[in-house]
Amino acid sequence: MNLDLDAETTQMCEVVTAFARHKLAAPPDFGTRDFRQRWRAAGAQGVLGTTVPDGFGGLGGGAVTAAAVMEALGYGCSDAGFAFSAAAHVFACLTPIAEFGTEEQKRRWLPPLAAGELVAAHAVTEPDAGSDALRLSTRAVREDGDWVLSGAKCFITNAPVADVFVVQAVTAPGGGYFGLTSFLVEAGAPGLSVGPRHAKVGLRGSPTADVHLDGVRVPPGHVLGSEGGGASVFAYAMRWERTCLPAVYLGVMRRVWEQTREYARERRQFGVPIGDFQAVAHRVVDMLARLEQARLMLFRAARRLDAGQADEVAPALAKLVVSEAAVALGLDAVQVRGALGILDGEAETLLRDALPARVFSGTSDIQRNNIARALGLGARH
């Protein structure tokens, strides 16, 4: 299995890394204006259109190319939250619009979303329905030819800055898998409101908030896919998100590992570099092993996705392994630095940013459940 990137993709990733280092550095505090400026710059660089067909302003890349670009973005961008927002925008919103959208929907939304002129958010999670996406309480009912949406969504990435929401709502209560429908809802629609931005332990550069829908009217032309096809849209988005979004962490992990290795070479105690001590050297080696194992798992899943092998196991394994590796690598990076590791810096930042990875897009425990179920193990629901 050859996981080497082709020359064109490698060159693209080098450009993205250099661009991210110079143009996407983390600001001292989050600001909407600054976020928008960097967002437009990322769009102009092609980062936000990796999976969008070239006829709609994108690069037309597959999962391997998209994952490689996100890895390069994470490696070069000191603001992992911004990189996370970009990946969520691409894989949870643009990719399903490109797959399920009508020609009119794709012409209207994909070019400005890929160019960074607009921001998208995927609104599925609810206070009482996170992992159990088939038990949503948000409802959509027909009224005078339109759909009227009412309900509440929580922890929605990009919500405070979003221009369009991909909203999952129940159109056939009790319909199970065929009871959900996906809608494209504009941020300015009457009845749609966004709560205050959440303060999070990590990924602080990614704005997150709750979304409320109070009788929001949506024309029939804003249904994404078919009525009753929302679960298929959601499952498609999650395959891409769980496979490719964690690639951001691969880039961040490699950057922090390289910094940790240099620190172990330069920091001296008892007259010698601390890297001369076996306990430190072995820890640095273990960090590299976790990184490489996670990378192999993720790009294997990406290649399977490109090959049309839409199984549950590979994306869930990729998401699980990368998430757990990021937390473990962050802990090791802090430990090698000692007291300096708990001060503001790359090690503690990675650890804070890694903790949400075990929760978003399905917790690590949910990923294990999904894998076990696909293997014919665990409880049947």
Side-chain angles (χ1 to χ4, degrees):
M1 181 173 60
N2 181 15
L3 293 181
D4 292 334
L5 302 173
D6 59 50
E8 182 179 358
T9 302
T10 299
Q11 183 178 19
M12 183 191 310
C13 291
E14 291 172 352
V15 171
V16 169
T17 295
F19 159 77
R21 283 175 177 160
H22 292 95
K23 300 295 185 180
L24 302 180
D29 298 297
F30 178 85
T32 300
R33 182 177 179 181
D34 171 81
F35 182 93
R36 287 278 189 176
Q37 289 176 340
R38 290 185 292 150
W39 195 262
R40 286 191 291 271
Q45 190 63 43
V47 172
L48 302 179
T50 53
T51 62
V52 173
D54 54 10
F56 295 99
L59 302 178
V64 169
T65 299
V69 169
M70 289 303 157
E71 181 182 22
L73 180 64
Y75 184 66
C77 182
S78 59
D79 186 353
F82 180 87
F84 177 86
S85 275
H89 170 89
V90 172
F91 302 120
C93 301
L94 274 70
T95 303
I97 291 173
E99 177 67 17
F100 294 95
T102 63
E103 284 299 306
E104 181 181 352
Q105 288 171 345
K106 289 187 281 191
R107 283 196 304 270
R108 177 177 180 181
W109 294 110
L110 290 180
L113 288 169
E117 297 168 6
L118 301 177
V119 183
H122 188 195
V124 58
T125 304
E126 297 182 357
D128 295 319
S131 301
D132 191 356
L134 295 182
R135 297 187 185 277
L136 300 179
S137 61
T138 298
R139 296 288 188 263
V141 297
R142 290 184 182 274
E143 185 178 296
D144 298 329
D146 291 334
W147 289 96
V148 179
L149 278 61
S150 297
K153 303 292 184 177
C154 61
F155 310 127
I156 306 304
T157 298
N158 292 344
V161 293
D163 301 290
V164 60
F165 294 85
V166 178
V167 179
Q168 299 287 351
V170 175
T171 49
Y177 190 86
F178 299 102
L180 301 182
T181 301
S182 299
F183 298 89
L184 295 170
V185 183
E186 295 183 64
L192 187 148
S193 60
V194 178
R197 183 169 59 90
H198 291 309
K200 307 191 298 295
V201 66
L203 298 176
R204 295 173 179 173
S206 175
T208 307
D210 299 340
V211 178
H212 301 276
L213 303 111
D214 184 10
V216 178
R217 301 190 72 89
V218 179
H222 282 214
V223 171
L224 179 60
S226 60
E227 180 182 345
S232 295
V233 175
F234 175 69
Y236 183 85
M238 287 301 98
R239 280 199 297 274
W240 277 86
E241 183 170 289
R242 289 169 179 169
T243 298
C244 298
L245 186 151
V248 168
Y249 283 97
L250 296 179
V252 178
M253 290 160 66
R254 183 168 296 280
R255 169 163 46 84
V256 173
W257 175 79
E258 290 176 353
Q259 294 167 344
T260 303
R261 179 189 58 185
E262 292 307 307
Y263 181 83
R265 287 173 171 175
E266 297 172 1
R267 171 68 169 166
R268 300 178 71 87
Q269 288 287 280
F270 305 101
V272 298
I274 63 172
D276 284 4
F277 298 110
Q278 190 178 69
V280 174
H282 283 189
R283 194 179 295 274
V284 175
V285 170
D286 288 344
M287 292 170 69
L288 178 60
R290 291 191 189 95
L291 169 60
E292 293 300 329
Q293 291 164 0
R295 189 174 191 276
L296 287 169
M297 191 70 74
L298 185 140
F299 276 92
R300 176 179 177 271
R303 289 193 182 278
R304 290 175 67 86
L305 187 55
D306 279 342
Q309 299 172 331
D311 63 288
E312 273 194 82
V313 175
L317 275 175
K319 202 272 180 180
L320 172 65
V321 171
V322 175
S323 299
E324 298 296 328
V327 173
L329 194 143
L331 286 168
D332 283 339
V334 169
Q335 194 68 35
V336 169
R337 288 163 175 77
L340 290 176
I342 60 174
L343 301 181
D344 183 39
E346 64 273 2
E348 65 87 25
T349 299
L350 167 59
L351 183 55
R352 285 191 293 100
D353 289 338
L355 291 176
R358 302 177 65 192
V359 177
F360 67 74
S361 299
T363 67
S364 290
D365 292 329
I366 286 295
Q367 303 309 323
R368 291 185 176 96
N369 286 347
N370 291 342
I371 295 165
R373 185 170 56 249
L375 297 177
L377 305 171
R380 309 305 199 269
H381 297 290

